[in-house]
Amino acid sequence: MDLASNSVNGSQMSQWERLVQLPAAFSQQLHDLYDREALPMDVRHYLSAWIESQQWQRAASDYDLAMVLFQVLLENLDIQYSRFVQEDSFLMQHNFRRYKQNFQRYLENPCVLAHNICWYLEKEKEILQTADLAEQVRVMQVEQGGFETSTQRDLDHRMASLKNEVQCMEHAMMCLEEQQDEFDFKYQTFLIEAPLSGNPDNPQQAKLQSLINKLNDCRKNTLFGLNKLLEKAEDLIDVLVNKEKVEWQRRQQKHCIGAPHRVCLDQLEKWFTCVAESLFQVREFLSKLEELAGKVTYEKDPIKGVKPSLQMRTEKLLSDLLKSSFVVETQPSMPQGKGPLVLRTGVQFFVKTRLLVKFPDLNHHMKVNVSMDREPPQIKRYRHFNVLGTTSKALNMSESKNGGMVADFRHLNLKEQKSGGGAKGAPDISLSVTEELHIMYFNTLFEFKGMSVELQATSLPVVIISNASQQQSACASVLWFNMLSQDTKDLMFFANSPAATWPQFGEMLSWQFLSATKRGLNDAQLEMIANRLFGKQQSYDICSVAWSTFSKENSPDTFWVWFDSIVVMVKANLENLWRDGLIMGFVTKSKEKTLLKKKQKGTFLIRFSESVIGGITFSWVENNATGDPEVKTIQPFTKDDLSQIPFPEIIRHFLILKDVPQNPLLYLYPNTPKDEAFGKYYADKSGLDSPYLIYIKTRLVFVLKGDTLEAVSHMSTDAAEGEVPQPIEPFGNVAVQPVDSLEHHAANCCLDPMLCDSVANLGDDPMYPSCTNHFFDSEPLPTSL
């Protein structure tokens, strides 16, 4: 039994066990991840329980801890090696001996090893999150999935029928050739024997006439069968090119802006390849017919009359299919970008093309070349770019996870051409940099069995920026174009951009949350956003949003800036809370008061600020002096605030300093006890008494003084020894949110029984009590020293 067998704690599976049970599509990502030397997969597997239980992140910056973990790792490798010796597993003995030798390179700097293992564990989590999202999407789209399955079954059946027709035609060609050989043999025999007999009414002549009639009928039937086969292929090509591929392209457009749509090309590749193989066999059948007609022909031979038209038809169908089979599988994207289709000059980006006709004989034989803007719009100030990097690659099957014919460009970048500002006399259409659209072109030549076709694929329109400050506006353009336009070559889209209907717009907004946090927007949240845009309406379905309203008016505080800042904040600091439904988020102030005033004292809800960009706040209900319910709201917190203090800790320790300090937050709307809702996210205290921490603990808190929210520390570490900092005097409506448990020396503690209600020890030393409710007025300090 290996160490991985200890990784199950009760019914909860370890991270590694979850990974090894993933479907093939995701397990391939795991194989790709461990296709490196820093951490062999064998070591990760056999030491999985131990690896996942260590503090690698802390060890990455703590040399002593890193050295301890390094030594223990070597010991575990020795233990595992001994087990393989007992099991007589020679190969694994060899591998683990080599692994231990390789790990010796970390002896001088074990922190690097800790950092590397941290990186692997984080990448594993990303794979699991992607798999979880895919499963959620599958559940969300059960009805759509059923429809797709029905369509897939129909096409699979038709493909099978086409293959069967090809096999029947292959048999028919064999019968035709045998019949012609029989006729040819008897005819040649007749030519030799007829002059010798001298009988003009030779009965063999009648038999030959009968044979030639049968041969003629057989040729007609074969040509008729080929025609029917081409009709089936033509119908399938029409479905593949004009329906299935078009729908895939539209799904890819929406997927680029966050939609949870399936964009896998494996099924399309299977269908395209099937039809292409069938048509190439038809070409071979036609070549065979031409060969047979060259040996035996006669007046009104149907092959000579029909075969040329069938040949032209076959070549056209095959050409059309091949031209449609070259696509951009992964749209241009920067590794550090927020999404695809926004590129920055001088920054590397990647893009992947794919040929849906998969012929292994063409592996590494077709070169793909990249270029920009073959047909740029003729307007003034339209920029032009050169593509730099490796701009030519061969289509191959080794760079694809599923063996498809791909050219994966990973190191491209763009450089603006300094010369030229648009065609002379071109119209002066005003487009901003982030409204200017560009297209990448990919060209290759298909040559196979005498067939030569030039293929071209184009990317979706990209927005090219030169500064990171343009990223947010560029993303807005990408969202707007791909939400509304199905003409993927319309580079002048923003010269007269259409408005978006509210159903379209609301769906797109929900996708932003779904792609970032795995939880979209519900109807109530979308209604609040619609209310913000249009005011109170009985129905928003007839409302529309203009492009200028979305991203151009009131710059820089546009609707998109407000909304996107919320998404960024939630993704960075509140993803788990949002996914668990603990944040109501989008709710108007008036609706908030209506909801809370009906609830018991201490009920609170969390919403996004309407006025502070990227802000979140909470409101609670309490009774005023007359006993009436009153709703109070805290000053919004921003992403910077939440990076200092986790939001669950703000909720947990929120206090109003009156005569008796109290936390007014008791029930998360509608009636969930606070600790039940947020308890699993409270900070774990078990790691605070570590012997590696030698500094006095501080706790950063927020103090609300009047209308000002300030960040202060519980104590100043600059105080002289024995000096006692003065506590803050309690005053009305002061809200305090601590970040972590406070621990400090007794000499620096003013034990006020009105404020102090808990004492804990630092480590095992009783000389260091800690006070968790003292708040000293000092300069802001970092959360750690």
Side-chain angles (χ1 to χ4, degrees):
M1 182 178 69
D2 56 53
L3 295 179
S5 62
N6 297 324
S7 60
V8 179
N9 181 12
S11 60
Q12 185 176 5
M13 290 171 41
S14 70
Q15 180 168 306
W16 184 251
E17 286 196 334
R18 290 183 62 200
L19 285 163
V20 298
Q21 294 184 19
L22 289 176
F26 299 101
S27 61
Q28 181 61 45
Q29 296 182 30
L30 188 63
H31 286 294
D32 293 342
L33 173 63
Y34 280 97
D35 189 19
R36 298 169 172 86
E37 291 296 326
L39 180 62
M41 183 181 282
D42 288 339
V43 174
R44 176 67 179 96
H45 175 72
Y46 286 100
L47 305 184
S48 61
W50 178 79
I51 288 175
E52 292 182 27
S53 64
Q54 306 310 309
Q55 299 180 14
W56 297 108
Q57 187 168 6
R58 200 174 116 208
S61 57
D62 186 330
Y63 178 86
D64 292 335
L65 178 58
M67 180 56 74
V68 170
L69 293 179
F70 172 69
Q71 295 294 342
V72 175
L73 173 62
L74 296 183
E75 293 174 8
N76 281 332
L77 291 175
D78 286 336
I79 293 171
Q80 197 62 46
Y81 174 81
S82 300
R83 290 177 178 173
F84 291 132
V85 171
Q86 295 174 4
E87 296 169 0
D88 199 22
S89 178
F90 177 78
L91 182 61
M92 295 307 295
Q93 291 176 46
H94 169 78
N95 288 343
F96 268 68
R97 184 188 296 114
R98 180 167 55 86
Y99 297 153
K100 183 179 179 181
Q101 292 173 352
N102 291 341
F103 277 120
Q104 296 294 335
R105 68 181 183 271
Y106 296 110
L107 180 61
E108 297 298 326
N109 195 350
C111 291
V112 174
L113 172 64
H115 174 79
N116 288 343
I117 294 179
C118 267
W119 183 85
Y120 276 93
L121 294 176
E122 287 301 316
K123 290 297 180 183
E124 287 179 2
K125 290 178 182 177
E126 292 178 10
I127 294 174
L128 287 173
Q129 289 172 358
T130 304
D132 290 342
L133 175 59
E135 176 61 19
Q136 290 180 17
V137 170
R138 187 190 67 78
V139 173
M140 290 170 57
Q141 297 183 315
V142 172
E143 293 184 1
Q144 180 181 352
F147 172 76
E148 291 176 350
T149 300
S150 175
T151 303
Q152 178 177 330
R153 286 174 182 165
D154 177 62
L155 272 171
D156 283 341
H157 176 75
R158 294 173 66 181
M159 293 292 170
S161 176
L162 179 67
K163 286 183 178 181
N164 184 61
E165 290 285 343
V166 171
Q167 291 176 354
C168 291
M169 182 53 60
E170 189 172 10
H171 177 71
M173 292 297 297
M174 292 174 60
C175 294
L176 175 62
E177 186 173 15
E178 290 176 359
Q179 191 166 7
Q180 179 167 315
D181 287 344
E182 179 186 2
F183 169 79
D184 189 42
F185 174 77
K186 291 186 177 180
Y187 179 69
Q188 296 300 332
T189 302
F190 172 76
L191 291 179
I192 295 173
E193 295 178 350
L196 299 176
S197 65
N199 183 4
D201 298 324
N202 193 332
Q204 286 294 112
Q205 188 170 353
K207 290 182 179 180
L208 286 173
Q209 186 62 49
S210 175
L211 286 174
I212 197 67
N213 291 339
K214 288 182 179 180
L215 179 62
N216 188 64
D217 291 341
C218 190
R219 286 185 171 184
K220 286 182 178 179
N221 291 336
T222 301
L223 293 167
F224 178 78
L226 285 172
N227 184 66
K228 297 295 291 183
L229 200 158
L230 288 177
E231 286 179 357
K232 282 193 173 185
E234 188 172 20
D235 289 343
L236 284 171
I237 291 173
D238 181 62
V239 172
L240 292 179
V241 173
N242 299 321
K243 183 178 182 294
E244 293 297 323
K245 184 189 169 186
V246 170
E247 290 180 358
W248 171 81
Q249 288 175 324
R250 185 58 183 152
R251 289 198 304 271
Q252 189 188 47
Q253 270 191 279
K254 293 182 178 181
H255 182 75
C256 285
I257 58 175
H261 291 339
R262 179 179 56 83
V263 292
C264 178
L265 284 168
D266 292 355
Q267 190 63 60
L268 268 181
E269 179 188 76
K270 175 183 172 183
W271 292 332
F272 268 81
T273 303
C274 175
V275 177
E277 289 174 341
S278 299
L279 288 175
F280 269 106
Q281 286 186 277
V282 170
R283 292 177 80 242
E284 292 180 4
F285 296 152
L286 292 172
S287 296
K288 188 65 177 179
L289 285 178
E290 186 173 8
E291 177 188 334
L292 294 176
K295 294 179 179 178
V296 175
T297 188
Y298 45 86
E299 188 179 354
K300 296 183 180 179
D301 185 348
I303 292 179
K304 291 185 175 181
V306 178
K307 186 259 178 185
S309 62
L310 292 179
Q311 187 81 44
M312 291 179 58
R313 188 176 170 192
T314 302
E315 300 292 321
K316 184 179 186 309
L317 288 176
L318 192 49
S319 177
D320 292 345
L321 181 70
L322 291 170
K323 288 179 179 179
S324 297
S325 68
F326 190 39
V327 298
V328 178
E329 180 178 13
T330 302
Q331 293 295 329
S333 306
M334 296 187 297
Q336 72 278 30
K338 288 181 61 178
L341 304 175
V342 176
L343 306 180
R344 183 177 169 185
T345 53
V347 176
Q348 285 191 350
F349 64 93
F350 59 88
V351 61
K352 183 192 292 186
T353 61
R354 183 166 175 176
L355 182 65
L356 297 179
V357 174
K358 181 180 175 181
F359 291 152
D361 291 345
L362 295 176
N363 192 24
H364 291 284
H365 281 75
M366 296 174 62
K367 295 289 185 181
V368 180
N369 299 305
V370 187
S371 59
M372 285 289 297
D373 294 326
R374 292 286 184 85
E375 300 174 1
Q378 299 300 307
I379 60 174
K380 289 184 177 179
R381 291 185 295 277
Y382 185 83
R383 298 171 300 159
H384 298 270
F385 297 89
N386 292 325
V387 185
L388 306 179
T390 307
T391 59
S392 180
K393 290 200 70 174
L395 284 167
N396 64 88
M397 299 167 64
S398 58
E399 292 185 320
S400 174
K401 296 176 182 178
N402 47 24
M405 294 279 291
V406 304
D408 193 356
F409 297 88
R410 301 180 184 178
H411 305 290
L412 300 176
N413 62 79
L414 299 172
K415 183 177 181 180
E416 185 175 356
Q417 298 178 9
K418 297 302 181 181
S419 60
K424 186 176 181 180
D428 187 10
I429 298 176
S430 178
L431 290 178
S432 67
V433 168
T434 55
E435 293 176 321
E436 189 180 278
L437 301 178
H438 299 264
I439 289 178
M440 297 189 68
Y441 288 78
F442 304 87
N443 290 81
T444 188
L445 180 64
F446 179 94
E447 291 182 308
F448 186 63
K449 293 185 177 181
M451 185 82 179
S452 180
V453 183
E454 291 187 357
L455 310 182
Q456 183 180 89
T458 56
S459 71
L460 292 173
V462 300
V463 177
I464 303 175
I465 60 177
S466 56
N467 193 289
S469 63
Q470 300 168 321
Q471 175 86 29
Q472 198 171 42
S473 295
C475 288
S477 298
V478 169
L479 290 174
W480 200 260
F481 177 89
N482 290 288
M483 173 178 58
L484 297 177
S485 178
Q486 296 188 43
D487 182 359
T488 57
K489 295 188 178 180
D490 183 10
L491 300 184
M492 296 301 295
F493 175 81
F494 286 104
N496 186 22
S497 175
T501 65
W502 168 248
Q504 289 175 310
F505 189 73
E507 183 181 44
M508 182 271 289
L509 295 182
S510 183
W511 289 341
Q512 306 317 300
F513 269 90
L514 182 63
S515 61
T517 68
K518 306 180 182 67
R519 182 187 178 97
L521 303 177
N522 59 33
D523 291 342
Q525 291 162 339
L526 288 171
E527 183 179 358
M528 178 273 175
I529 298 174
N531 186 289
R532 175 188 173 95
L533 287 168
F534 312 115
K536 187 65 177 177
Q537 302 279 342
Q538 187 171 1
S539 173
Y540 296 103
D541 288 348
I542 60 173
C543 297
S544 60
V545 183
W547 163 239
S548 58
T549 302
F550 177 58
S551 184
K552 297 190 71 172
E553 289 179 352
N554 306 318
S555 182
D557 298 335
T558 64
F559 174 88
W560 169 241
V561 170
W562 170 75
F563 184 85
D564 183 56
S565 298
I566 291 173
V567 176
V568 171
M569 174 188 61
V570 172
K571 174 63 177 176
N573 304 102
L574 304 167
E575 183 175 352
N576 290 332
L577 303 184
W578 173 262
R579 197 159 54 235
D580 287 349
L582 303 179
I583 300 173
M584 186 171 291
F586 295 100
V587 55
T588 62
K589 294 179 181 179
S590 59
K591 180 70 174 292
E592 173 189 70
K593 290 182 179 180
T594 301
L595 294 175
L596 288 178
K597 283 189 174 181
K598 298 177 182 179
K599 294 297 179 180
Q600 58 184 319
K601 177 183 176 182
T603 302
F604 67 100
L605 59 79
I606 304 168
R607 66 174 176 84
F608 302 126
S609 173
E610 295 184 64
S611 55
V612 176
I613 300 299
I616 189 169
T617 184
F618 51 81
S619 302
W620 70 93
V621 62
E622 62 179 47
N623 297 330
N624 59 21
T626 62
D628 296 326
E630 182 179 5
V631 175
K632 295 190 175 182
T633 302
I634 195 70
Q635 178 181 331
F637 299 91
T638 64
K639 184 175 65 172
D640 292 337
D641 298 328
L642 300 181
S643 66
Q644 301 177 70
I645 304 180
F647 198 65
E649 294 300 309
I650 294 177
I651 299 293
R652 180 186 185 184
H653 295 291
F654 180 72
L655 289 178
I656 296 180
L657 299 186
K658 295 183 178 179
D659 294 337
V660 178
Q662 59 179 339
N663 189 329
L665 310 180
L666 302 178
Y667 307 99
L668 179 66
Y669 185 89
N671 54 11
T672 306
K674 175 187 63 180
D675 292 340
E676 180 182 327
F678 295 93
K680 67 178 180 179
Y681 296 113
Y682 291 161
D684 183 8
K685 305 282 190 300
S686 61
L688 295 180
D689 298 335
S690 169
Y692 295 98
L693 300 178
I694 60 176
Y695 294 107
I696 295 173
K697 287 285 191 167
T698 64
R699 180 170 56 181
L700 189 66
V701 300
F702 283 101
V703 177
L704 185 62
K705 297 181 179 179
D707 295 329
T708 305
L709 190 65
E710 298 180 355
V712 300
S713 175
H714 275 177
M715 65 173 295
S716 171
T717 56
D718 295 332
E721 185 177 357
E723 180 180 348
V724 180
Q726 298 300 313
I728 296 175
E729 293 295 330
F731 53 87
N733 294 332
V734 177
V736 182
Q737 299 82 22
V739 66
D740 213 339
S741 63
L742 172 67
E743 300 176 27
H744 58 81
H745 196 282
N748 287 335
C749 178
C750 178
L751 296 176
D752 186 336
M754 294 295 294
L755 296 177
C756 181
D757 59 5
S758 66
V759 176
N761 293 331
L762 177 62
D764 297 323
D765 192 343
M767 295 298 295
Y768 292 84
S770 73
C771 169
T772 59
N773 282 329
H774 279 68
F775 312 106
F776 299 96
D777 195 358
S778 62
E779 292 298 319
L781 294 176
T783 56
S784 62
L785 299 177

